[in-house]
């Protein structure tokens, strides 16, 4: 075994190590719009869901030269964003959308990706991904010395491609999602192992849910 002590590493070295340890990671393909109306598109692989009542998802948004990336700045500015789940046919566009551009560049238009109007937020959603989640900013919490923010959004609307839902569950094989690995590497589902369902107590709600950093 090789033992690596975090205090001996730079933030870049730690990031490189963690992205090879925490694998595979689902990809949130996020559209936002600036206060000036410029569309932004970027992929985030530090992505999960954090609540089911109400439904909430979270993404980790880093900084460049101390300032929030365009996605984070736009979310703080408008309070809205759309998270898409891309499928295996979209790997190239997902990867290209990670290229850094000045804030005035419309990355959706640059990649030639079609959009449709969202129903509950002002940010358009991409037309082609099989799943899109319209979100409103709930909270943002900064962590560590780099100031990366874990941004949580409340899901206002789910858009799911026809044929993917069965009894309220998404057919993952049909979804064909892509995952991020270390470096510029991606993966599909591969072999799926299906086990016997395990019984669980139904989800419940608290009379007074607790909250941390609230959005303005």
């Amino acid at each position: 075994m090789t033992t690596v002590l975090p205090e001996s590493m730079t933030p870049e070295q730690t990031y490189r190590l963690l992205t090879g340890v925490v694998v595979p990671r689902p990809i949130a393909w996020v559209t936002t719009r600036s206060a000036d109306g410029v569309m932004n598109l970027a992929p985030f692989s530090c992505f999960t869901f954090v609540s089911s009542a109400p439904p909430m998802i979270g993404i980790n948004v880093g900084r460049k030269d101390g300032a929030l990336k365009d996605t984070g700045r736009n979310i703080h500015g408008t309070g809205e964003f759309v998270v898409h789940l891309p499928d295996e046919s979209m790997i190239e566009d997902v990867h290209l959308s990670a290229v850094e551009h000045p804030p005035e560049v419309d990355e959706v238009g640059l990649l030639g990706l079609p959009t449709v109007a969202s129903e509950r937020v002002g940010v358009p959603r991409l037309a082609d991904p099989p799943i899109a989640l319209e979100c409103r900013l709930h909270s943002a919490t900064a962590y560590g010395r780099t100031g990366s923010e874990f941004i949580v959004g409340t899901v206002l609307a789910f858009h799911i491609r026809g044929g993917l839902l069965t009894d309220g569950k998404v057919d993952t094989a049909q979804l064909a999602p892509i995952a991020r690995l270390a470096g510029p590497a991606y993966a599909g589902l591969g072999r799926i192992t299906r086990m016997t369902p395990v019984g669980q107590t139904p989800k419940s709600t608290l009379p007074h849910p607790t909250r941390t950093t609230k959005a303005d």
Side-chain angles (χ1 to χ4, degrees):
M1 298 288 287
T2 298
T3 300
V4 180
L5 301 179
E7 58 267 26
S8 68
M9 304 169 68
T10 66
E12 187 64 29
Q13 290 170 330
T14 306
Y15 177 84
R16 187 177 301 139
L17 180 59
L18 283 172
T19 55
V21 171
V22 185
V23 290
R25 301 185 304 281
I27 296 174
W29 208 14
V30 182
T31 53
T32 59
R33 190 159 60 180
S34 72
D36 296 328
V38 179
M39 288 290 294
N40 180 266
L41 175 65
F44 294 88
S45 62
C46 293
F47 164 49
T48 188
F49 72 89
V50 298
S51 171
S52 58
M56 295 182 182
I57 57 89
I59 58 173
N60 190 69
V61 181
R63 294 175 181 266
K64 296 185 296 184
D65 295 327
L68 277 175
K69 292 182 178 180
D70 295 342
T71 297
R73 186 176 63 253
N74 291 347
I75 291 174
H76 279 286
T78 67
E80 299 178 337
F81 58 107
V82 182
V83 170
H84 307 80
L85 277 296
D87 63 29
E88 291 180 331
S89 70
M90 303 170 183
I91 288 179
E92 183 174 359
D93 284 331
V94 169
H95 187 64
L96 290 175
S97 69
V99 175
E100 295 182 0
H101 295 283
E104 63 272 15
V105 174
D106 177 345
E107 282 130 336
V108 175
L110 188 66
L111 292 173
L113 301 174
T115 63
V116 295
S118 294
E119 295 186 13
R120 306 289 296 275
V121 300
V123 180
R125 57 189 175 89
L126 301 178
D128 294 335
I131 294 179
L133 314 176
E134 298 182 24
C135 299
R136 177 189 296 132
L137 173 63
H138 171 269
S139 59
T141 306
Y143 289 93
R145 298 194 309 275
T146 65
S148 293
E149 286 191 347
F150 187 66
I151 295 178
V152 175
T154 302
V155 179
L156 305 180
F158 295 85
H159 301 281
I160 302 170
R161 181 184 293 164
L164 285 181
L165 273 181
T166 301
D167 193 27
K169 293 185 177 181
V170 173
D171 185 329
T172 312
Q174 290 295 321
L175 175 62
I178 55 177
R180 186 65 187 271
L181 308 177
Y186 300 82
L189 285 177
R191 182 170 64 93
I192 297 176
T193 301
R194 193 171 300 277
M195 306 295 286
T196 303
V198 176
Q200 295 184 338
T201 303
K203 303 293 185 291
S204 61
T205 59
L206 299 174
H208 303 289
T210 58
R211 295 181 180 178
T212 54
T213 307
K214 276 291 294 176
D216 293 334

